[in-house]
Amino acid sequence: MKIQQLRYLIAVEQNSLSISLAAEKLFTSQPGVSKQIKQLEEELGVKLFNRNGKQLTHVTPEGRHILVRAKAIMREVENIKGLANEFRNDQTGELKLATTHTQARYILPNVIRQFRERYPQVSLQILQGRPDEIAEMAVSGEVDLAIATESIGDRDDLVTLPGYRWKHCVIVEKSHPLVGQELTSLDQIAEYPIVTYINGFTGRERLDHAFADANLTPNIVLSAVDSDVIKTYVRQDLGVGIIARMTYETESDTDLVALDTHSLFPVNATKIGFRRGKFLRGYIYDFLQTFAPHLSLLAVNNAAYTTVQSEVDEIFKGVELQLY
């Protein structure tokens, strides 16, 4: 049995049982992948996939069990590589992040600037996606860290750390009737058309729950992934905008007014996670603490050796998170 065969096996399963797609992702040939899978089945003496001609139709029950072990082996292979790199040179390497537009655009620039000053030889890669995609990228090992408000806290195979808290605010043009009013009721906002985030992004679900709890059905005329688009359409007088408070920029958004929603909407928490059992290079610990000062080496190390998320939550119980 070869590590390469296990890698091919996992790639086929992760690419909808398409050998051609797996070969493309692995930068190898389709016949080569087919040959290695067949040799692995012959050596093990069990079928890993059911077939219809040359087409793989589904993973066999035996194959599912073997895939679980194969993935665990490949995770340890990556951990060994990371450990060797740390021994060889703890100042060089690669850090891959998966996050949403809001984090990449408004929160991470300052964090990355500080990190780069300390680790100029560590290359950084930022991948953007939906929160569920971000979580999956961390679980699969495609990235080292996942940063999002939604989804990543729901995965048992991720160690999810608390990052920071943030609020929503309402944005309007300077001539809007809401300017000068104190927002004390969601009725004041629901009176107007609303432009905000799409479902699954930047606390949208909690906005919906807040309106539902107040027995209100907001007229959401446009929803978008990022705050810049929302601001653009507020400027076009399409409606009242609801965005993350941290995305309102006082220097560049001078034509808009940000109205404090006080306690009308619940406070949100952005989290940062990594695959359970992953070896963390020294510079990853430093990145985590730069991202959120309460994520000390000791606290993160303790969290890394937990088996369930509730143990992680207990470690950080009572920690006061920064509020944006």
Side-chain angles (χ1 to χ4, degrees), residues 114-184:
Q114 294 180 59
F115 181 79
R116 285 286 298 157
E117 288 173 356
R118 185 163 184 181
Y119 295 96
Q121 296 183 68
V122 174
S123 65
L124 283 153
Q125 201 177 120
I126 299 178
L127 304 179
Q128 290 179 224
R130 300 192 311 269
D132 58 329
E133 293 174 331
I134 290 164
E136 188 56 41
M137 282 189 268
V139 170
S140 69
E142 186 177 351
V143 299
D144 299 298
L145 299 173
I147 305 171
T149 299
E150 292 86 359
S151 293
I152 68 170
D154 304 329
R155 300 290 301 254
D156 290 334
D157 36 14
L158 287 178
V159 176
T160 304
L161 310 171
Y164 61 88
R165 298 179 301 142
W166 58 272
K167 291 183 175 182
H168 287 99
C169 72
V170 167
I171 55 168
V172 294
E173 293 186 288
K174 289 183 175 181
S175 59
H176 197 278
L178 284 177
V179 174
Q181 292 189 38
E182 183 180 1
L183 298 182
T184 58

Coordinates of all heavy atoms in Angstrom, one line a residue, residues 114-184:
Q114 N 0.3 43.2 10.1 CA 1.1 43.0 11.3 C 1.8 41.6 11.2 O 3.0 41.5 11.6 CB 0.2 43.0 12.6 CG -0.4 44.3 12.9 CD -1.2 44.2 14.2 OE1 -0.8 43.9 15.2 NE2 -2.5 44.6 14.0
F115 N 1.1 40.6 10.7 CA 1.7 39.3 10.6 C 2.8 39.3 9.6 O 3.9 38.7 9.8 CB 0.6 38.3 10.1 CG 1.1 36.9 9.9 CD1 1.3 36.0 11.0 CD2 1.4 36.4 8.7 CE1 1.7 34.7 10.9 CE2 1.9 35.1 8.5 CZ 2.0 34.3 9.6
R116 N 2.7 40.0 8.5 CA 3.7 40.1 7.4 C 5.0 40.8 8.0 O 6.1 40.4 7.6 CB 3.2 40.8 6.2 CG 2.2 40.0 5.3 CD 3.0 38.9 4.6 NE 3.9 39.5 3.6 CZ 5.0 38.9 3.1 NH1 5.3 37.7 3.5 NH2 5.8 39.5 2.3
E117 N 4.8 41.7 8.8 CA 6.0 42.4 9.4 C 6.8 41.5 10.2 O 8.0 41.6 10.3 CB 5.5 43.6 10.3 CG 4.9 44.8 9.4 CD 4.3 45.9 10.3 OE1 4.3 45.6 11.6 OE2 3.9 46.9 9.8
R118 N 6.1 40.5 10.9 CA 6.8 39.6 11.7 C 7.3 38.4 10.9 O 8.4 37.8 11.3 CB 5.9 39.1 12.8 CG 6.6 38.2 13.8 CD 5.8 38.1 15.1 NE 6.6 37.4 16.1 CZ 6.1 37.1 17.3 NH1 5.0 37.5 17.7 NH2 6.9 36.4 18.2
Y119 N 6.6 38.0 9.9 CA 6.9 36.8 9.1 C 7.0 37.1 7.6 O 6.1 36.6 6.9 CB 5.9 35.6 9.4 CG 5.9 35.1 10.8 CD1 5.0 35.6 11.7 CD2 6.9 34.2 11.2 CE1 5.0 35.1 13.0 CE2 6.9 33.7 12.5 CZ 6.0 34.2 13.4 OH 6.0 33.7 14.7
P120 N 7.9 37.8 7.2 CA 8.0 38.2 5.8 C 8.2 37.1 4.8 O 7.9 37.2 3.6 CB 9.2 39.2 5.8 CG 10.0 38.9 6.9 CD 9.1 38.4 8.0
Q121 N 8.7 35.9 5.3 CA 9.0 34.8 4.5 C 7.9 33.8 4.4 O 8.0 32.7 3.8 CB 10.3 34.1 4.9 CG 11.5 35.0 4.7 CD 12.8 34.3 5.1 OE1 13.2 33.4 4.4 NE2 13.4 34.7 6.2
V122 N 6.8 34.1 5.1 CA 5.6 33.2 5.1 C 4.6 33.7 4.0 O 4.2 34.9 4.1 CB 4.9 33.1 6.4 CG1 3.6 32.3 6.3 CG2 5.8 32.5 7.5
S123 N 4.3 32.9 3.0 CA 3.4 33.4 2.0 C 2.0 33.1 2.4 O 1.7 32.1 3.1 CB 3.7 32.6 0.7 OG 3.4 31.2 0.8
L124 N 1.1 34.1 2.1 CA -0.3 34.0 2.5 C -1.2 33.8 1.3 O -0.9 34.4 0.3 CB -0.6 35.3 3.2 CG -0.1 35.5 4.7 CD1 0.0 36.9 5.0 CD2 -1.1 34.8 5.6
Q125 N -2.2 33.1 1.5 CA -3.2 32.8 0.5 C -4.6 33.0 1.1 O -4.9 32.3 2.2 CB -3.0 31.4 -0.1 CG -3.6 31.3 -1.5 CD -3.4 29.9 -2.0 OE1 -4.3 29.1 -2.3 NE2 -2.1 29.5 -2.1
I126 N -5.5 33.8 0.5 CA -6.8 34.0 1.0 C -7.8 33.5 0.0 O -7.8 33.9 -1.1 CB -7.1 35.5 1.4 CG1 -6.1 36.0 2.4 CG2 -8.5 35.6 1.8 CD1 -6.3 37.5 2.7
L127 N -8.6 32.5 0.4 CA -9.7 32.0 -0.4 C -11.0 32.5 0.1 O -11.2 32.4 1.4 CB -9.7 30.5 -0.5 CG -8.3 29.8 -0.9 CD1 -8.5 28.3 -0.9 CD2 -8.0 30.3 -2.3
Q128 N -11.9 32.9 -0.7 CA -13.2 33.4 -0.3 C -14.3 32.5 -0.7 O -14.2 31.7 -1.7 CB -13.5 34.8 -0.9 CG -12.6 35.9 -0.3 CD -12.8 37.2 -0.9 OE1 -11.9 38.0 -1.2 NE2 -14.1 37.6 -1.0
G129 N -15.4 32.4 0.1 CA -16.5 31.6 -0.3 C -17.6 31.7 0.7 O -17.6 32.6 1.6
R130 N -18.6 30.9 0.6 CA -19.8 30.9 1.5 C -19.3 30.3 2.8 O -18.3 29.5 2.8 CB -20.9 30.1 1.0 CG -21.5 30.5 -0.4 CD -22.8 29.8 -0.6 NE -22.7 28.4 -0.5 CZ -22.4 27.6 -1.5 NH1 -22.1 28.0 -2.7 NH2 -22.3 26.3 -1.3
P131 N -19.9 30.6 3.9 CA -19.5 30.1 5.2 C -19.4 28.5 5.2 O -18.5 28.0 5.8 CB -20.5 30.6 6.2 CG -20.9 31.9 5.6 CD -20.9 31.7 4.1
D132 N -20.4 27.8 4.6 CA -20.3 26.4 4.6 C -19.1 25.9 3.7 O -18.5 24.9 4.1 CB -21.6 25.8 4.1 CG -22.0 26.3 2.7 OD1 -21.6 27.4 2.3 OD2 -22.6 25.5 1.9
E133 N -18.8 26.6 2.7 CA -17.6 26.2 1.8 C -16.4 26.4 2.6 O -15.4 25.6 2.5 CB -17.6 27.0 0.6 CG -18.7 26.8 -0.4 CD -18.7 27.7 -1.6 OE1 -18.3 28.9 -1.4 OE2 -19.2 27.3 -2.7
I134 N -16.3 27.5 3.4 CA -15.1 27.8 4.2 C -14.9 26.7 5.2 O -13.7 26.3 5.4 CB -15.3 29.2 4.9 CG1 -15.3 30.3 3.8 CG2 -14.3 29.4 5.9 CD1 -15.9 31.6 4.3
A135 N -15.9 26.3 5.9 CA -15.8 25.2 6.9 C -15.3 24.0 6.2 O -14.4 23.3 6.7 CB -17.1 25.0 7.6
E136 N -15.8 23.6 5.0 CA -15.4 22.4 4.3 C -13.9 22.5 3.9 O -13.2 21.5 3.9 CB -16.3 22.2 3.1 CG -16.1 20.8 2.5 CD -16.3 19.6 3.4 OE1 -17.2 19.7 4.3 OE2 -15.4 18.7 3.3
M137 N -13.5 23.7 3.5 CA -12.1 23.8 3.1 C -11.1 23.5 4.2 O -10.0 23.0 4.1 CB -11.8 25.2 2.5 CG -12.3 25.4 1.1 SD -11.8 27.0 0.3 CE -13.2 28.0 0.8
A138 N -11.5 23.9 5.4 CA -10.7 23.7 6.6 C -10.7 22.2 7.0 O -9.6 21.6 7.3 CB -11.2 24.5 7.8
V139 N -11.9 21.6 6.9 CA -12.0 20.2 7.2 C -11.2 19.3 6.3 O -10.5 18.3 6.7 CB -13.4 19.7 7.2 CG1 -13.6 18.2 7.3 CG2 -14.2 20.4 8.4
S140 N -11.2 19.6 5.0 CA -10.5 18.9 4.0 C -9.0 19.1 4.0 O -8.3 18.3 3.3 CB -11.1 19.2 2.6 OG -10.7 20.5 2.2
G141 N -8.5 20.1 4.7 CA -7.1 20.4 4.7 C -6.7 21.4 3.6 O -5.5 21.7 3.4
E142 N -7.7 21.9 2.8 CA -7.3 22.8 1.7 C -6.8 24.1 2.2 O -6.0 24.8 1.6 CB -8.6 23.1 0.8 CG -8.3 23.9 -0.4 CD -9.5 24.1 -1.2 OE1 -10.6 23.4 -1.0 OE2 -9.5 24.9 -2.2
V143 N -7.2 24.5 3.4 CA -6.7 25.7 4.1 C -6.4 25.4 5.5 O -6.8 24.4 6.1 CB -7.8 26.9 4.1 CG1 -8.1 27.2 2.6 CG2 -9.0 26.5 4.8
D144 N -5.6 26.3 6.2 CA -5.2 26.1 7.5 C -6.2 26.6 8.5 O -6.5 26.0 9.6 CB -3.8 26.8 7.8 CG -2.7 26.3 6.9 OD1 -2.4 25.1 7.0 OD2 -2.2 27.0 6.1
L145 N -6.8 27.8 8.2 CA -7.7 28.4 9.1 C -9.0 28.8 8.3 O -8.9 29.3 7.2 CB -7.1 29.6 9.7 CG -5.8 29.4 10.6 CD1 -5.2 30.7 11.0 CD2 -6.2 28.6 11.8
A146 N -10.1 28.7 9.0 CA -11.4 29.2 8.5 C -11.9 30.3 9.4 O -11.9 30.2 10.6 CB -12.4 28.1 8.4
I147 N -12.3 31.4 8.7 CA -12.8 32.6 9.5 C -14.2 33.0 9.0 O -14.4 33.3 7.8 CB -11.9 33.8 9.4 CG1 -10.5 33.4 9.8 CG2 -12.4 35.0 10.2 CD1 -9.4 34.5 9.5
A148 N -15.2 32.9 9.9 CA -16.6 33.3 9.4 C -17.5 33.4 10.7 O -17.1 33.0 11.8 CB -17.2 32.2 8.5
T149 N -18.6 34.0 10.4 CA -19.6 34.2 11.5 C -20.5 32.9 11.6 O -20.9 32.4 12.6 CB -20.4 35.4 11.3 OG1 -19.5 36.6 11.4 CG2 -21.5 35.6 12.4
E150 N -20.9 32.5 10.4 CA -21.8 31.3 10.3 C -21.1 30.0 10.0 O -19.9 30.1 9.5 CB -22.9 31.5 9.2 CG -23.9 32.6 9.5 CD -23.4 34.0 9.1 OE1 -22.3 34.1 8.6 OE2 -24.2 35.0 9.3
S151 N -21.7 28.9 10.3 CA -21.3 27.6 9.8 C -20.2 26.9 10.5 O -20.3 25.7 10.9 CB -21.1 27.5 8.3 OG -22.3 27.8 7.6
I152 N -19.0 27.6 10.7 CA -17.9 26.8 11.2 C -18.0 26.3 12.6 O -17.4 25.4 13.0 CB -16.6 27.6 11.0 CG1 -16.5 28.8 12.0 CG2 -16.3 28.0 9.6 CD1 -15.1 29.5 12.0
G153 N -18.9 27.0 13.4 CA -19.1 26.5 14.8 C -20.0 25.3 14.9 O -20.1 24.7 15.9
D154 N -20.5 24.8 13.7 CA -21.4 23.7 13.7 C -20.7 22.4 13.4 O -21.4 21.3 13.3 CB -22.5 23.9 12.7 CG -23.3 25.2 12.9 OD1 -23.4 25.6 14.1 OD2 -23.8 25.8 11.9
R155 N -19.4 22.4 13.1 CA -18.7 21.2 12.7 C -17.9 20.6 13.8 O -17.0 21.3 14.4 CB -17.7 21.6 11.6 CG -18.3 22.2 10.3 CD -19.1 21.2 9.5 NE -18.3 20.1 9.1 CZ -18.0 19.9 7.9 NH1 -18.3 20.7 6.9 NH2 -17.3 18.8 7.6
D156 N -18.2 19.3 14.1 CA -17.5 18.6 15.2 C -16.0 18.3 14.8 O -15.2 18.1 15.7 CB -18.2 17.3 15.5 CG -19.5 17.5 16.2 OD1 -19.7 18.5 16.8 OD2 -20.4 16.6 16.1
D157 N -15.7 18.3 13.5 CA -14.4 18.1 13.0 C -13.5 19.3 13.0 O -12.4 19.3 12.5 CB -14.4 17.3 11.7 CG -15.5 17.8 10.7 OD1 -16.1 18.8 11.0 OD2 -15.7 17.1 9.7
L158 N -14.0 20.4 13.4 CA -13.3 21.7 13.5 C -13.1 22.1 15.0 O -14.1 21.9 15.8 CB -13.9 22.8 12.8 CG -13.9 22.8 11.3 CD1 -14.7 24.0 10.7 CD2 -12.5 22.8 10.7
V159 N -12.0 22.6 15.4 CA -11.8 23.3 16.6 C -12.1 24.8 16.4 O -11.4 25.4 15.6 CB -10.3 23.2 17.1 CG1 -10.1 24.0 18.4 CG2 -10.0 21.7 17.4
T160 N -13.2 25.3 16.9 CA -13.7 26.6 16.6 C -13.4 27.5 17.8 O -13.9 27.3 18.9 CB -15.2 26.6 16.3 OG1 -15.4 25.7 15.2 CG2 -15.7 28.0 15.9
L161 N -12.6 28.6 17.6 CA -12.2 29.5 18.6 C -13.0 30.8 18.5 O -13.3 31.3 17.3 CB -10.7 29.8 18.5 CG -9.8 28.6 18.4 CD1 -8.4 29.1 18.0 CD2 -9.8 27.8 19.7
P162 N -13.3 31.5 19.6 CA -14.0 32.7 19.5 C -13.1 33.8 19.0 O -12.0 34.0 19.5 CB -14.5 33.0 21.0 CG -13.5 32.3 21.8 CD -13.1 31.1 21.0
G163 N -13.6 34.6 18.1 CA -12.8 35.7 17.5 C -13.1 37.1 18.1 O -12.4 37.6 19.0
Y164 N -14.2 37.6 17.6 CA -14.6 39.0 18.1 C -16.2 39.1 17.9 O -16.8 38.3 17.2 CB -13.9 40.1 17.4 CG -14.2 40.1 15.9 CD1 -15.3 40.8 15.4 CD2 -13.3 39.4 15.0 CE1 -15.5 40.8 14.0 CE2 -13.6 39.4 13.7 CZ -14.7 40.1 13.2 OH -14.9 40.1 11.8
R165 N -16.7 40.1 18.6 CA -18.2 40.4 18.5 C -18.4 41.6 17.6 O -17.5 42.4 17.5 CB -18.8 40.6 19.8 CG -18.7 39.4 20.8 CD -19.3 39.7 22.1 NE -18.6 40.9 22.7 CZ -19.3 41.8 23.4 NH1 -20.6 41.8 23.6 NH2 -18.6 42.8 24.0
W166 N -19.5 41.7 17.0 CA -19.8 42.8 16.1 C -21.3 43.0 16.0 O -22.1 42.1 16.3 CB -19.2 42.7 14.7 CG -19.7 41.5 14.0 CD1 -19.1 40.2 14.0 CD2 -20.8 41.4 13.1 NE1 -19.7 39.4 13.2 CE2 -20.8 40.0 12.6 CE3 -21.7 42.2 12.6 CZ2 -21.7 39.6 11.7 CZ3 -22.7 41.8 11.7 CH2 -22.7 40.5 11.2
K167 N -21.7 44.3 15.7 CA -23.1 44.6 15.6 C -23.5 45.1 14.1 O -22.6 45.4 13.4 CB -23.4 45.8 16.5 CG -23.4 45.5 18.0 CD -23.8 46.7 18.8 CE -23.9 46.4 20.3 NZ -24.3 47.6 21.0
H168 N -24.8 45.0 13.9 CA -25.3 45.6 12.6 C -25.6 47.1 12.9 O -25.8 47.5 14.0 CB -26.6 44.9 12.2 CG -26.3 43.5 11.6 ND1 -26.5 42.4 12.4 CD2 -26.0 43.1 10.4 CE1 -26.3 41.3 11.6 NE2 -25.9 41.7 10.4
C169 N -25.6 47.8 11.8 CA -26.1 49.2 11.8 C -26.9 49.5 10.6 O -26.9 48.7 9.6 CB -24.9 50.2 11.9 SG -24.0 50.4 10.4
V170 N -27.7 50.5 10.7 CA -28.5 51.0 9.5 C -27.8 52.1 8.8 O -27.3 53.0 9.5 CB -29.9 51.4 10.0 CG1 -30.7 52.1 8.9 CG2 -30.7 50.2 10.5
I171 N -27.8 52.0 7.5 CA -27.2 53.1 6.7 C -28.2 53.7 5.8 O -29.0 53.0 5.2 CB -25.9 52.7 5.9 CG1 -26.3 51.5 5.0 CG2 -24.8 52.4 6.8 CD1 -25.2 51.2 4.0
V172 N -28.2 55.0 5.7 CA -29.1 55.8 4.9 C -28.4 57.0 4.3 O -27.3 57.4 4.7 CB -30.4 56.3 5.7 CG1 -31.2 55.1 6.1 CG2 -30.0 57.1 6.8
E173 N -29.0 57.6 3.2 CA -28.5 58.8 2.7 C -28.8 60.0 3.7 O -29.7 59.9 4.5 CB -29.1 59.1 1.3 CG -28.7 58.1 0.3 CD -29.3 58.5 -1.1 OE1 -30.5 58.4 -1.3 OE2 -28.4 58.9 -1.9
K174 N -28.0 61.0 3.6 CA -28.2 62.1 4.5 C -29.5 62.8 4.6 O -30.0 63.3 5.6 CB -27.1 63.2 4.2 CG -25.7 62.8 4.5 CD -24.7 63.9 4.3 CE -23.3 63.5 4.7 NZ -22.3 64.6 4.5
S175 N -30.3 62.7 3.4 CA -31.6 63.3 3.4 C -32.7 62.4 3.8 O -33.9 62.8 3.8 CB -31.9 63.7 1.9 OG -31.8 62.6 1.0
H176 N -32.4 61.2 4.3 CA -33.4 60.2 4.6 C -34.1 60.6 5.9 O -33.5 61.2 6.8 CB -32.8 58.8 4.8 CG -33.8 57.7 4.8 ND1 -34.5 57.4 5.9 CD2 -34.1 56.9 3.8 CE1 -35.3 56.4 5.6 NE2 -35.1 56.0 4.3
P177 N -35.5 60.4 6.0 CA -36.2 60.7 7.2 C -35.7 60.1 8.5 O -36.0 60.7 9.6 CB -37.6 60.2 6.8 CG -37.7 60.1 5.4 CD -36.3 59.8 4.9
L178 N -35.0 59.0 8.4 CA -34.5 58.4 9.7 C -33.4 59.1 10.3 O -33.1 58.9 11.5 CB -34.1 56.9 9.4 CG -35.2 55.9 9.2 CD1 -34.6 54.5 8.9 CD2 -36.1 55.8 10.5
V179 N -32.7 60.0 9.5 CA -31.6 60.7 10.1 C -32.1 61.7 11.2 O -33.0 62.4 11.0 CB -30.9 61.5 9.0 CG1 -29.8 62.4 9.6 CG2 -30.3 60.6 7.9
G180 N -31.4 61.6 12.3 CA -31.8 62.4 13.4 C -32.7 61.7 14.4 O -33.0 62.2 15.5
Q181 N -33.3 60.6 14.0 CA -34.2 59.8 14.9 C -33.3 58.8 15.7 O -32.3 58.3 15.2 CB -35.2 59.0 14.0 CG -36.3 59.8 13.3 CD -37.4 59.0 12.8 OE1 -37.8 58.0 13.4 NE2 -37.8 59.3 11.6
E182 N -33.8 58.5 16.9 CA -33.2 57.4 17.6 C -34.0 56.1 17.3 O -35.2 56.1 17.5 CB -33.2 57.7 19.1 CG -32.6 56.6 20.0 CD -32.6 57.0 21.5 OE1 -33.2 58.0 21.8 OE2 -32.1 56.1 22.2
L183 N -33.3 55.1 16.9 CA -33.9 53.9 16.5 C -34.2 53.1 17.8 O -33.3 52.5 18.4 CB -33.1 53.0 15.6 CG -32.8 53.7 14.2 CD1 -31.9 52.7 13.3 CD2 -34.1 54.1 13.5
T184 N -35.5 53.0 18.2 CA -35.9 52.3 19.4 C -36.8 51.1 19.1 O -37.1 50.4 20.0 CB -36.6 53.3 20.4 OG1 -37.8 53.8 19.7 CG2 -35.7 54.4 20.8

